[in-house]
Amino acid sequence: MEALEMFTSDRNADVYTEELKLNLGPQHPSTHGVLRVELAMDGEIITDSWCDIGYLHRCAEKIGENVTYLQFTPYTDRMDYLASMNNNLAWSLTVEKLLDVEAPERAQWIRALVAELNRIASHLIAFGTYGIDLGANTPFFYAFRERESIMQLLEKISGARMLYNFIRPGGVANDIDDAWMDEVSAFCDDFEKRWVEYNTLLTDNFVFIQRTANIGILTKELALSNGCTGPVLRASGVKWDLRRDVPYLEPYDECEFDIPVGEGTHGTLGDCWDRYWVRMREMIESVRIIRQCIEKIPPGAHMEKSMVKMYKTPLKPPPGEAYVRCENPRGELGFYVVSEGGNSPIRCRTRAPSFCNLSVLDKLLPGTMLGDAVATIGSLDIVLGEVDR
Amino acid sequence: MEALIGLFGELFGLEGTLALSAAYAVCIGSILGFVTVYSMFAIWMERKVAAHIQVRMGPMVTGGWHGWAQSVADAVKLLFKEDIIPTRANAFMFWIAPAVVFCGVFAGLIVVPFAVGVQVVDLHLGVFFIIAIASIEVIGVIIAGWASNSKYSLFGAVREAAQVVSYEIPTATALLVPILVVGSFRLNDFNTWQAEHHWLIFHSPWLAMAALIFFISSLAGCKRAPFDLPEAESELVSGFHTEYSGMRFSFFFLEEYTSMFVAALLTATLWFGGFNLPFVDSSAWHPALAMPIGIVVLLAKTFFFIFVQMWLRWTLPRLRVDQVMSMGYKYLVPWAFVALIATAVWDYYGWGWLPL
Amino acid sequence: MLDFMFVFFAAIALAGGLVMAFHQSIVHSAFALVAVLFGVAGLYWTLGADLLGATQILLYVGGVTILLLFAVMLSTRDAGRLAIGRYILMAPVLGLLGAGLLRVYQGVIAISEGRELTLLEPEPTSDAIGQLFVDPHGFLLPFEVLSVLLLVVLVGAVTVARQQQEGTPDA
Amino acid sequence: MNEAGLHAKLGAAGIDGIGELDTSAKDPFVVVEADALVAVMTFLRDDPDCAMEMLHLVTATEREACIELAYHLCSYQHHHSFVVKVICPRPEGGNHDTWHPEVPSVAGVFDAADWHEREQWDLLGVVFAGHPDPRRILLPEEWIGHPLRKDFVYPSFLGDVPLELDATPMYERGPDWTPPSSEPRPAGEPLIQPPSPPSDRPHAGGQAPAKDEAPADAADTGKEG
């Protein structure tokens, strides 16, 4: 904000630069979808900004009140379409909590495995598109190469490339076999080498650091007050990860992994570079979890028997409500479901991580430049399908 | 040029003004043809370079061998596309801007010596002329941005104006360094000097520095990444040519690739020996042999630098607008002046550097 | 050839000058100024003063007018319109100036009476000009003074823009 | 600290209007009076033993007798979470168009509440008194009605454009298809017509529709479905 006062021209002066209202989006290459940000510009400097969302509103919560619990699972795929597995997982856990059932042990390990795979895929997109936002087009293609392998792996077990509908209330749709797990470990070996390549290409690039360090600084207080979660919160120095602090799956309790937090490597804690770097290191932590999952996965059923029976008629959870949150790639996804005993819930509320992370944008932008706005939006890593639902 | 006039005189009996006009027409036509063909090739090359840097293949289908006809197909498409003029745009200005932009760079090519005798005008002001005439391009970009009546275009135009005007200073100062050594503006003198002595890049460390400064600031002048602020597509959609379509849009493309060519060619001519081969003295060769070899050598050097420009573009992120400015004013300008003064001192005392 | 070039560039300069003087929009006027300067540079070229012509383009077309456009485009509301009425008061002064200029032209015409236009081979003038610049008894001081020009242009552009804003009621 | 401890702590804070802890629910919650909400939130945030740094979610749920607001809070320091609820009872005949339950906004306590409350106003028509920016967030400003209400009827026309629910599918439109006739919108009328007069429509309580008109469809989409 100091920069704002220093550089913007005095409105009462004789000669000043005209204030320019710039519509960034909804059709703009770097708003990651159909976000619209109205910017008041003084030359290149943003003096004020207003976020406008809702262009992708698909009434998911209303749909949730009109379909059965099981039928809503595919709709969760379409919220954060880059991390469908994690969305399925959160929804399944919510329904299981309503029904008071728990998935079998093997299903939990499979869930953790595919969720972590999908987390890597999602972070790869974040990494690639962030490069594009800053004008480096090449990392995007490298990221997509690795994401393609993940999509092929997940396609083998679920039959779908992006919207899986694989994790369901009571377990997972299909069991996995050893051959598939061998492929996953081969991918992990490959990915760790590629990860080093990404860092030489983008992370340690001087221009990249210049563009991202000390830009869009999100303080710890602001992040907490605005309900930011996930990498955005951790980059501000809060060591909080539901997987470690409130383990919602058994593997997260038993596996060893670190929680990367922002360290302010290039100046300020909570800048764009920190958010980027937290994501990058999370990918490596996910690889660690995947390796341990493959090693420790127990035999057994992949679906709760009682649930299979229940699938024949629509699920009818007893009246009550459940709120479950899961650590998604973009933050904590929560489902708050209220049942009154019918076939479908009477309220199906989604706490979308991108929605909360985006709400901080209006506070980060004033005082930065137009190029920084793009860098900041990119570093929050939003998915508009989730923001608007 | 003189050769052409003589040729017309012999073949068609043209004399005086008529022969001069005819010769000019032929020269301009051939340069225009060269620019078009070169741009198509450069665009294809850019795609291939980008693709191979990005672990993919690029165009592979059109035309058969590695999609060589992709640019031709694109050009045909652009020709037949509707030429849209936005309703609220200033139609005349919108219409004239691509032409102004293209003229500036295009005019610079008439003083370029491609080989011994292959040159339209052997102007004694050669280098200065190229720099001067290229600055017209900025006016065209500003007109384009202003006439489009779009805020993104205006942003692009203002960025272009600020950037190119600022980077003209280090560009021109860096160019003065070899000019100081050779003592001439004439591009041909650089070729002969380097044929007689050595390549100027090896003359002294200051000349190498000047070459680096010139290359960096010429990137900014051509609006190439990492200085492609005026058309930064992730910030300004397409910058000053956001509202353009069809043939007019392609003029901006031609301009960009032609100015890349001019910048690379200046680097090759001023510092890297022009059309001279390394270690080979070609001055005694017969013109019929020296000319094609000279053209090939110069184009090879030029395309190497064009390749470097593309390489940088597909590797580096884009700088921010204030960083571009501070880079120009805080680093390039002072160091260009240092190189200039140091070269003057260096040459005054007649020091050598590499054993040449 | 020379006649053709002379007429061509003179026409550009004249047309640009007329547009510049009479167009309502100040941005158009600025663009027309570019045409004037370019036409004059062309005239220099046809008359053999190539360094002058190139400098004219580099400095005036590439530098000064861009600075001017910059200031005008950025700081005027809707790239505004000139209130011609305000300048009527200055008419006597302008008239006197015009008369003085006409007298100068008359003198120029008298000098060139009877001379014939010939195509001059561009002579390398850069050496001589360079010598004059660094010679302490030459033009070193005027040269340095002239370098304040860009600053003057910027101040002038800001002044024009400021008058515009005072002219608009809600500024 | 568990929920019981938090509730005890809250009870000792001396704020009026704090109800009992409902431990039968899966996530135990406490119901507070609307007037006490801001004080409760501030206390939960500032008390070092509670230290609820984050407001996770604001949810409005329309039930038969009330609209119920749930505030999900959690603490990173202490790894505990808590649910605070506010009940807005439905007045006699309260329904879609006439009833906008009002609760104080907590956007001054947690910035996160800003967008969540705007969304609840947008979709469920809950008024948050003192909200700094009480606009719709997802739907267009000129939208009429709050779509997550059980008795919401989807408008069939947006101006002159038939909306998809009633429109003929594209593949069934022949060459001489004309849009269904609609009255031209009188000047000054809002863009989107309100569903039907409020008195004609039942609320979501499952009572029999007062008249056999269009709202029957909408009522079906409620919790019976």
Side-chain angles (χ1 to χ4, degrees):
Chain A
M1 289 306 274
E2 280 171 30
L4 186 62
E5 283 154 25
M6 262 172 69
F7 293 120
T8 51
S9 41
D10 183 3
R11 289 266 165 263
N12 301 319
D14 280 347
V15 177
Y16 57 84
T17 318
E18 281 283 318
E19 188 184 76
L20 190 72
K21 283 271 166 60
L22 190 72
N23 247 328
L24 200 75
Q27 309 294 334
H28 188 276
S30 60
T31 49
H32 292 224
V34 283
L35 169 70
R36 171 171 164 259
V37 189
E38 202 180 330
L39 299 173
M41 311 279 299
D42 182 350
E44 282 274 346
I45 297 170
I46 298 164
T47 50
D48 213 343
S49 87
W50 299 271
C51 239
D52 188 7
I53 61 172
Y55 290 89
L56 202 60
H57 180 51
R58 293 161 300 178
C59 322
E61 291 180 4
K62 185 80 175 174
I63 291 170
E65 294 171 17
N66 291 299
V67 297
T68 64
Y69 291 90
L70 203 55
Q71 280 172 342
F72 191 64
T73 324
Y75 285 100
T76 63
D77 281 337
R78 275 107 185 132
M79 285 178 182
D80 181 354
Y81 41 78
L82 299 178
S84 306
M85 285 291 187
N86 303 61
N87 296 5
N88 290 167
L89 175 60
W91 174 251
S92 304
L93 287 173
T94 317
V95 176
E96 283 163 14
K97 186 170 176 182
L98 267 180
L99 286 164
D100 266 331
V101 294
E102 199 170 87
E105 205 181 345
R106 183 174 174 85
Q108 295 210 11
W109 285 83
I110 298 175
R111 283 175 172 190
L113 207 165
V114 292
E116 293 308 317
L117 267 180
N118 209 336
R119 185 187 310 277
I120 297 178
S122 169
H123 280 346
L124 277 173
I125 297 266
F127 156 76
T129 50
Y130 199 39
I132 287 202
D133 284 346
L134 299 176
N137 292 292
T138 302
F140 184 70
F141 290 90
Y142 284 37
F144 259 58
R145 179 183 56 189
E146 265 65 71
R147 179 171 178 260
E148 182 63 31
S149 326
I150 296 178
M151 290 203 300
Q152 277 172 2
L153 284 172
L154 293 180
E155 187 185 1
K156 275 184 186 160
I157 55 165
S158 69
R161 281 169 59 80
M162 220 168 113
L163 309 164
Y164 306 108
N165 189 18
F166 180 70
I167 300 176
R168 297 174 188 179
V172 294
N174 296 310
D175 202 354
I176 59 175
D177 55 16
D178 290 344
W180 186 79
M181 282 192 279
D182 289 342
E183 282 177 50
V184 174
S185 7
F187 165 77
C188 289
D189 295 341
D190 189 44
F191 180 77
E192 278 177 339
K193 283 181 212 129
R194 301 290 189 199
W195 188 79
V196 179
E197 202 174 79
Y198 302 156
N199 288 342
T200 51
L201 185 65
L202 194 63
T203 313
D204 301 332
N205 186 303
F206 177 75
V207 180
F208 179 75
I209 293 171
Q210 288 292 308
R211 280 297 305 275
T212 51
N214 304 320
I215 300 298
I217 297 156
L218 181 61
T219 58
K220 185 180 166 184
E221 290 73 29
L222 194 61
L224 283 172
S225 176
N226 270 285
C228 297
T229 44
V232 177
L233 177 71
R234 287 193 281 276
S236 299
V238 181
K239 195 163 183 170
W240 172 263
D241 191 318
L242 282 180
R243 290 177 292 170
R244 186 204 58 177
D245 294 304
V246 191
Y248 49 91
L249 286 178
E250 200 187 300
Y252 293 138
D253 223 359
E254 295 183 9
C255 290
E256 258 183 42
F257 60 98
D258 296 329
I259 313 292
V261 287
E263 288 150 2
T265 319
H266 290 286
T268 328
L269 187 67
D271 56 6
C272 290
W273 198 89
D274 275 345
R275 288 195 278 279
Y276 164 85
W277 184 229
V278 163
R279 281 195 193 95
M280 292 302 281
R281 282 182 292 165
E282 267 182 23
M283 288 201 256
I284 283 300
E285 296 306 323
S286 291
V287 168
R288 274 176 75 186
I289 299 176
I290 290 170
R291 284 236 169 88
Q292 294 173 59
C293 281
I294 292 172
E295 205 177 294
K296 296 181 188 170
I297 188 161
H302 67 277
M303 182 60 108
E304 177 69 30
K305 287 234 173 52
S306 58
M307 287 295 283
V308 180
K309 268 181 217 158
M310 277 197 253
Y311 274 14
K312 287 169 186 159
T313 55
L315 295 176
K316 285 194 181 181
E321 57 209 46
Y323 179 58
V324 170
R325 42 203 179 113
C326 284
E327 188 70 35
N328 255 32
R330 284 170 183 75
E332 290 175 20
L333 174 73
F335 281 107
Y336 176 66
V337 180
V338 184
S339 161
E340 282 194 345
N343 287 341
S344 45
I346 65 155
R347 184 80 170 94
C348 173
R349 174 95 164 101
T350 314
R351 184 220 188 262
S354 298
F355 182 84
C356 302
N357 291 353
L358 184 63
S359 69
V360 87
L361 185 69
D362 286 346
K363 288 155 192 145
L364 296 185
L365 286 190
T368 60
M369 304 182 94
L370 184 58
D372 298 336
V374 171
T376 312
I377 296 172
S379 75
L380 292 176
D381 187 26
I382 46 169
V383 165
L384 265 294
E386 191 181 51
V387 174
D388 295 343
R389 298 185 295 287
Chain B
M1 190 72 198
E2 279 73 24
L4 264 179
I5 295 173
L7 194 69
F8 281 123
E10 275 176 32
L11 286 181
F12 307 112
L14 296 178
E15 274 171 17
T17 313
L18 216 52
L20 194 69
S21 312
Y24 268 119
V26 168
C27 288
I28 291 172
S30 52
I31 289 187
L32 205 57
F34 172 76
V35 164
T36 319
V37 173
Y38 150 76
S39 300
M40 284 186 186
F41 175 74
I43 291 168
W44 176 79
M45 177 178 160
E46 171 109 58
R47 291 179 147 203
K48 284 310 227 186
V49 169
H52 284 278
I53 287 177
Q54 295 169 348
V55 290
R56 56 192 176 93
M57 296 303 285
M60 287 300 285
V61 176
T62 323
W65 183 78
H66 281 267
W68 65 271
Q70 185 64 50
S71 295
V72 182
D74 283 348
V76 171
K77 182 202 78 175
L78 283 172
L79 272 172
F80 285 102
K81 259 176 100 169
E82 188 189 352
D83 181 24
I84 300 164
I85 296 182
T87 324
R88 304 276 307 274
N90 189 320
F92 176 70
M93 292 296 206
F94 191 81
W95 174 79
I96 205 172
V100 175
V101 162
F102 184 62
C103 281
V105 205
F106 175 68
L109 279 179
I110 64 169
V111 296
V112 169
F114 286 95
V116 185
V118 185
Q119 188 177 17
V120 180
V121 189
D122 189 9
L123 210 60
H124 82 277
L125 270 180
V127 183
F128 193 61
F129 176 78
I130 291 179
I131 294 298
I133 206 81
S135 63
I136 291 182
E137 177 235 331
V138 190
I139 296 283
V141 169
I142 295 184
I143 294 177
W146 181 78
S148 300
N149 194 20
S150 151
K151 285 169 184 173
Y152 288 109
S153 298
L154 188 64
F155 257 107
V158 170
R159 280 182 176 192
E160 159 91 8
Q163 174 178 322
V164 174
V165 170
S166 312
Y167 273 80
E168 261 175 14
I169 303 165
T171 314
T173 317
L175 278 178
L176 278 182
V177 179
I179 288 168
L180 194 67
V181 176
V182 176
S184 169
F185 282 124
R186 193 191 299 265
L187 279 163
N188 248 333
D189 291 350
F190 288 92
N191 286 317
T192 40
W193 195 93
Q194 291 181 93
E196 285 163 15
H197 300 79
H198 46 257
W199 288 9
L200 275 165
I201 184 88
F202 303 125
H203 185 70
S204 75
W206 309 111
L207 269 143
M209 196 170 93
L212 189 66
I213 290 170
F214 173 75
F215 192 73
I216 292 173
S217 43
S218 75
L219 280 180
C222 306
K223 309 181 286 291
R224 292 292 293 186
F227 305 105
D228 57 344
L229 275 301
E231 51 196 74
E233 95 268 8
S234 62
E235 295 160 30
L236 297 183
V237 190
S238 262
F240 57 88
H241 56 64
T242 306
E243 305 292 333
Y244 280 86
S245 63
M247 210 47 215
R248 278 183 223 296
F249 167 73
S250 68
F251 267 108
F252 287 110
F253 243 71
L254 283 184
E255 180 271 328
E256 178 173 338
Y257 282 92
T258 314
S259 59
M260 273 167 72
F261 181 79
V262 172
L265 194 136
L266 276 182
T267 319
T269 306
L270 264 58
W271 280 279
F272 291 89
F275 48 66
N276 300 302
L277 279 166
F279 313 116
V280 181
D281 182 18
S282 60
S283 53
W285 293 358
H286 188 271
L289 183 67
M291 192 179 82
I293 289 182
I295 292 180
V296 169
V297 168
L298 183 66
L299 285 186
K301 287 174 185 171
T302 308
F303 273 99
F304 172 73
F305 288 114
I306 291 175
F307 168 72
V308 175
Q309 288 174 336
M310 292 173 178
W311 184 7
L312 287 175
R313 169 170 179 186
W314 297 107
T315 309
L316 291 177
R318 182 183 304 117
L319 285 164
R320 204 172 54 221
V321 63
D322 61 324
Q323 289 163 350
V324 170
M325 288 297 154
S326 65
M327 170 135 180
Y329 282 118
K330 285 188 193 162
Y331 302 98
L332 294 182
V333 171
W335 283 108
F337 277 110
V338 166
L340 184 64
I341 293 163
T343 305
V345 175
W346 187 283
D347 269 30
Y348 182 76
Y349 289 106
W351 293 330
W353 184 35
L354 294 181
L356 288 165
Chain C
M1 195 69 192
L2 177 70
D3 292 344
F4 171 73
M5 298 305 275
F6 184 85
V7 169
F8 178 72
F9 284 119
I12 288 183
L14 265 181
L18 287 176
V19 172
M20 186 183 79
F22 293 111
H23 205 285
Q24 288 273 300
S25 157
I26 192 168
V27 177
H28 275 91
S29 296
F31 284 136
L33 180 63
V34 175
V36 176
L37 293 168
F38 182 74
V40 172
L43 287 179
Y44 290 150
W45 278 83
T46 48
L47 299 176
D50 52 355
L51 184 70
L52 193 57
T55 316
Q56 165 99 350
I57 288 178
L58 182 67
L59 281 189
Y60 284 88
V61 178
V64 172
T65 41
I66 287 174
L67 216 55
L68 197 114
L69 275 169
F70 217 71
V72 166
M73 282 202 306
L74 279 184
S75 43
T76 49
R77 201 171 294 263
D78 73 341
R81 315 205 158 270
L82 280 172
I84 290 189
R86 299 176 66 243
Y87 293 93
I88 287 179
L89 287 176
M90 289 162 68
V93 185
L94 290 176
L96 273 177
L97 270 176
L101 270 179
L102 274 182
R103 181 71 193 82
V104 173
Y105 284 143
Q106 202 186 353
V108 171
I109 292 168
I111 293 171
S112 54
E113 195 85 77
R115 292 194 191 179
E116 201 175 311
L117 273 174
T118 44
L119 181 60
L120 293 177
E121 193 59 31
E123 275 174 40
T125 47
S126 43
D127 282 356
I129 291 176
Q131 291 291 339
L132 282 173
F133 274 156
V134 289
D135 185 4
H137 305 294
F139 292 91
L140 188 58
L141 185 68
F143 177 62
E144 289 299 323
V145 173
L146 267 181
S147 63
V148 196
L149 182 73
L150 281 174
L151 180 69
V152 173
V153 168
L154 187 61
V155 171
V158 166
T159 315
V160 170
R162 182 171 159 181
Q163 280 172 355
Q164 286 276 304
Q165 277 177 358
E166 280 167 2
T168 42
D170 57 338
Chain D
M1 205 185 299
N2 61 6
E3 281 87 355
L6 284 166
H7 182 249
K9 191 90 186 155
L10 197 56
I15 305 168
D16 287 338
I18 296 173
E20 289 305 309
L21 188 72
D22 186 340
T23 45
S24 65
K26 295 198 167 64
D27 300 311
F29 61 85
V30 61
V31 177
V32 303
E33 297 284 324
D35 299 336
L37 182 64
V38 175
V40 166
M41 288 296 192
T42 316
F43 175 80
L44 285 174
R45 184 191 64 180
D46 293 339
D47 186 77
D49 288 339
C50 303
M52 300 285 192
E53 298 103 338
M54 185 178 281
L55 176 66
H56 239 262
L57 189 61
V58 178
T59 315
T61 310
E62 188 185 8
R63 289 179 189 266
E64 209 164 302
C66 60
I67 278 185
E68 177 190 288
L69 281 145
Y71 295 81
H72 290 263
L73 296 142
C74 76
S75 163
Y76 290 154
Q77 284 176 35
H78 305 303
H79 292 203
H80 56 223
S81 51
F82 199 48
V83 187
V84 176
K85 281 192 178 183
V86 177
I87 308 279
C88 306
R90 188 188 294 271
E92 195 60 37
N95 65 13
H96 180 79
D97 291 279
T98 51
W99 181 42
H100 293 300
E102 193 172 308
V103 289
S105 166
V106 295
V109 188
F110 295 102
D111 290 346
D114 185 344
W115 278 28
H116 282 309
E117 286 178 354
R118 273 175 73 187
E119 194 186 328
Q120 296 316 302
W121 153 248
D122 193 357
L123 300 180
L124 274 129
V126 180
V127 174
F128 290 92
H131 191 279
D133 185 17
R135 288 180 297 144
R136 286 180 182 273
I137 188 165
L138 293 174
L139 301 179
E141 246 342 78
E142 62 268 25
W143 193 270
I144 291 178
H146 302 280
L148 277 188
R149 290 283 186 91
K150 300 296 182 197
D151 59 353
F152 177 76
V153 179
Y154 196 75
S156 50
F157 281 90
L158 186 119
D160 296 338
V161 184
L163 290 179
E164 223 172 273
L165 272 189
D166 288 350
T168 320
M170 287 298 259
Y171 51 84
E172 283 178 12
R173 292 179 191 175
D176 38 75
W177 180 85
T178 46
S181 65
S182 68
E183 298 296 313
R185 186 156 55 93
E189 285 279 303
L191 183 66
I192 295 163
Q193 300 297 326
S196 58
S199 53
D200 290 355
R201 284 185 292 115
H203 63 73
Q207 296 143 354
K211 293 182 184 164
D212 49 350
E213 275 178 18
D217 285 349
D220 277 354
T221 58
K223 62 180 181 302
E224 293 96 331

